[in-house]
């Protein structure tokens, strides 16, 4: 079901015009905060079937988030970093690239992981402290989380150099936040990718806060404008508008895949939760600010749009039941997670057997067994 028939090049024309605009531009929007299509949304058309699918992804991602936070409060997880409020940025972007495109996340991209069919247990494994990472990157095409700020952008750029050498038809997508954009690693990655014209799509979730530092304190130039200084094409999109994120990311990815060089998408969104389960955001931001952003809630906005175009109530009822069942699965999978024997660390240190490792492993096992006895 499609709301309107889009002119084939209307959105491309708008986005191409923005590439040459050196000024800061307002974020591109297809659906406004009230759930109504914008003038551009009406012009280019909105795929209602896709909107329904992404709405389901966002609802399930939010449910994982709330369940995981509750599990952390119950002592089942050591730490949790919520993606509450950023579901549209994540779902809209990951659905805009191919499943064969490699992704390098930071640590908050739980919705991205779910869209790549990574099980909740594997997402929570690291936060329960039972393993260093939870999934096979070769299978999901999603690299493990990077908790060291911004390092994943360099990993992505190096990987993209390999893609170029292989002559593969692949885009490398990497996520980072506005705080990481101030890190040297991210700036090095942007410069290296631009200088070598590598197929990297940098996706910044500008959630307005680098832990307790607001965006206007940590930078003077908007990120989508700063990209031009590196020779990278910059785009600015409303990160709480899933359909706009999808359209802009898909367009940017197509340009990167065509070989025109790397691109950066700045998605303007908001972290509704604290930086982590150990953070209290009430110490550095106001209730009024949070209420203003709650009014822009991406899940509520997409639901309003779907109801407005006549999607049947069955979609929402079925999704609510599906979310409840999913929540039970999340709790069950989390409590079933157990760590490997710590002795396995010695087996994984070197690719080949090593005599020093064998000696240290034997000493560890002897001490462990004495302690158990």
């Amino acid at each position: 079901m499609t709301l309107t028939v889009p002119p084939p090049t209307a959105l491309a024309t708008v986005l191409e015009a923005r590439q040459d605009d050196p000024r800061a531009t307002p974020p591109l929007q297809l659906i406004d905060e009230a759930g109504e299509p914008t003038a551009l949304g009406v012009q280019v058309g909105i795929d209602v079937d896709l909107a329904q699918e992404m709405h389901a992804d966002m609802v399930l991602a939010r449910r994982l988030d709330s369940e995981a936070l509750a599990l952390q409060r119950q002592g089942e997880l050591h730490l949790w970093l919520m993606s509450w409020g950023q579901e549209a940025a994540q779902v809209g972007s990951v659905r805009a690239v191919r499943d064969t495109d490699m992704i390098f996340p930071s640590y908050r991209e739980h919705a991205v992981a779910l869209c790549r069919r990574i099980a909740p247990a594997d997402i929570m494994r690291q936060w329960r402290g039972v393993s260093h990472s939870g999934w096979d990157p070769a299978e999901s095409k999603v690299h493990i989380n990077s908790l060291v700020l911004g390092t994943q952008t360099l990993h992505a750029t190096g990987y993209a150099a390999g893609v170029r050498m292989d002559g593969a038809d692949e885009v490398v997508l990497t996520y980072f936040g506005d705080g990481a954009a101030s890190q040297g690693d991210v700036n090095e990655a942007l410069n290296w990718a631009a200088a070598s014209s590598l197929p990297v799509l940098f996706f910044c979730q500008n959630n307005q806060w680098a832990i307790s530092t607001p965006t206007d304190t940590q930078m003077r130039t908007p990120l989508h404008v700063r990209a031009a200084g590196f020779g990278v094409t910059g785009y600015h999109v409303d990160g709480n508008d899933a359909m706009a994120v999808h359209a802009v990311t898909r367009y940017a990815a197509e340009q990167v895949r065509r070989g025109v060089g790397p691109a950066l998408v700045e998605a303007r969104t908001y972290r509704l939760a604290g930086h982590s389960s150990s953070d209290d955001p009430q110490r550095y931001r106001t209730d009024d600010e949070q209420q203003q952003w709650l009014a822009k809630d991406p899940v509520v906005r997409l639901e309003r749009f779907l109801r407005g175009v006549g999607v049947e109530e069955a979609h929402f009822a079925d999704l609510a039941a599906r979310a409840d069942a999913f929540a039970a699965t999340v709790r069950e999978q989390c409590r079933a997670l157990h760590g490997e024997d710590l002795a396995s660390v010695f087996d994984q240190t070197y690719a080949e057997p090593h005599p020093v490792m064998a000696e240290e492993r034997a000493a560890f096992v002897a001490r462990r067994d004495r302690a158990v006895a």
Side-chain angles (χ1 to χ4, degrees):
M1 179 165 54
T2 302
L3 187 63
T4 61
V5 178
T9 61
L11 184 59
T13 301
V14 171
L15 294 171
E16 285 172 354
R18 285 167 181 255
Q19 292 179 40
D20 299 323
D21 189 340
R23 300 164 299 177
T25 57
L28 188 141
Q29 195 178 63
L30 297 181
I31 300 174
D32 66 18
E33 289 81 354
E36 296 293 331
T38 63
L40 181 60
V42 172
Q43 180 187 1
V44 304
I46 298 173
D47 185 333
V48 177
D49 291 336
L50 176 62
Q52 278 187 259
E53 293 174 7
M54 293 208 294
H55 176 249
D57 289 342
M58 291 163 63
V59 168
L60 294 180
R62 180 162 294 188
R63 194 58 180 267
L64 168 65
D65 222 14
S66 60
E67 292 298 325
L69 181 63
L71 287 163
Q72 193 279 332
R73 296 301 191 228
Q74 295 164 17
E76 299 289 351
L77 297 175
H78 295 294
L79 184 70
W80 183 251
L81 291 104
M82 297 185 74
S83 57
W84 181 26
Q86 299 179 215
E87 297 90 349
Q90 296 185 18
V91 170
S93 56
V94 70
R95 276 183 159 269
V97 298
R98 300 175 182 170
D99 283 350
T100 51
D101 290 331
M102 189 69 185
I103 293 174
F104 286 80
S106 54
Y107 43 69
R108 203 186 297 280
E109 283 72 42
H110 315 309
V112 171
L114 284 178
C115 285
R116 282 292 176 93
R117 296 172 291 282
I118 295 174
D122 291 337
I123 296 172
M124 294 183 289
R125 194 180 303 277
Q126 178 181 21
W127 308 111
R128 191 166 166 87
V130 300
S131 68
H132 177 61
S133 62
W135 59 81
D136 180 358
E139 180 180 321
S140 62
K141 298 288 284 184
V142 180
H143 196 259
I144 62 174
N145 288 335
S146 293
L147 272 66
V148 180
L149 207 59
T151 54
Q152 74 279 6
T153 59
L154 282 172
H155 302 159
T157 303
Y159 187 93
V163 169
R164 170 62 51 79
M165 294 174 69
D166 289 343
D169 180 27
E170 187 175 339
V171 170
V172 182
L173 172 61
T174 182
Y175 291 90
F176 61 102
D178 48 289
S182 298
Q183 290 287 111
D185 284 6
V186 175
N187 290 273
E188 290 173 29
L190 285 163
N191 187 59
W192 182 14
S196 301
S197 195
L198 297 175
V200 188
L201 178 53
F202 296 90
F203 192 95
C204 177
Q205 296 173 80
N206 183 349
N207 65 19
Q208 312 302 313
W209 287 94
I211 305 184
S212 58
T213 304
T215 303
D216 58 4
T217 298
Q218 64 163 319
M219 64 183 72
R220 293 293 179 87
T221 304
L223 291 167
H224 64 281
V225 175
R226 197 191 307 173
F230 293 98
V232 172
T233 304
Y235 302 91
H236 197 199
V237 64
D238 182 341
N240 284 14
D241 178 354
M243 302 309 293
V245 171
H246 183 272
V248 170
T249 308
R250 184 175 63 178
Y251 180 83
E254 288 172 354
Q255 302 308 304
V256 173
R257 203 181 307 278
R258 283 201 310 120
V260 300
L264 181 148
V265 175
E266 178 185 358
R268 190 170 187 270
T269 182
Y270 191 76
R271 166 169 56 79
L272 288 168
H275 174 71
S276 74
S277 53
S278 300
D279 177 41
D280 178 8
Q282 293 182 327
R283 294 174 65 88
Y284 53 80
R285 65 188 191 193
T286 65
D287 288 340
D288 286 345
E289 178 182 307
Q290 185 168 29
Q291 290 303 317
Q292 289 174 15
W293 280 95
L294 278 169
K296 303 174 183 178
D297 187 309
V299 177
V300 173
R301 182 190 307 196
L302 198 53
E303 179 175 339
R304 285 173 177 162
F305 167 76
L306 292 172
R307 291 185 183 279
V309 297
V311 170
E312 295 180 356
E313 182 60 31
H315 165 77
F316 304 101
D318 291 347
L319 183 55
R322 187 178 163 196
D324 286 343
F326 177 70
T329 299
V330 169
R331 297 191 292 271
E332 180 182 353
Q333 290 189 3
C334 177
R335 292 178 175 128
L337 287 170
H338 299 286
E340 297 179 0
D341 184 348
L342 194 57
S344 64
V345 170
F346 298 93
D347 301 330
Q348 300 165 359
T349 304
Y350 290 99
E352 302 292 336
H354 191 286
V356 174
M357 287 296 100
E359 182 181 340
E360 292 186 357
R361 186 183 192 285
F364 168 78
V365 170
R367 284 198 302 273
R368 180 199 62 189
D369 291 347
R370 282 199 302 273
V372 172

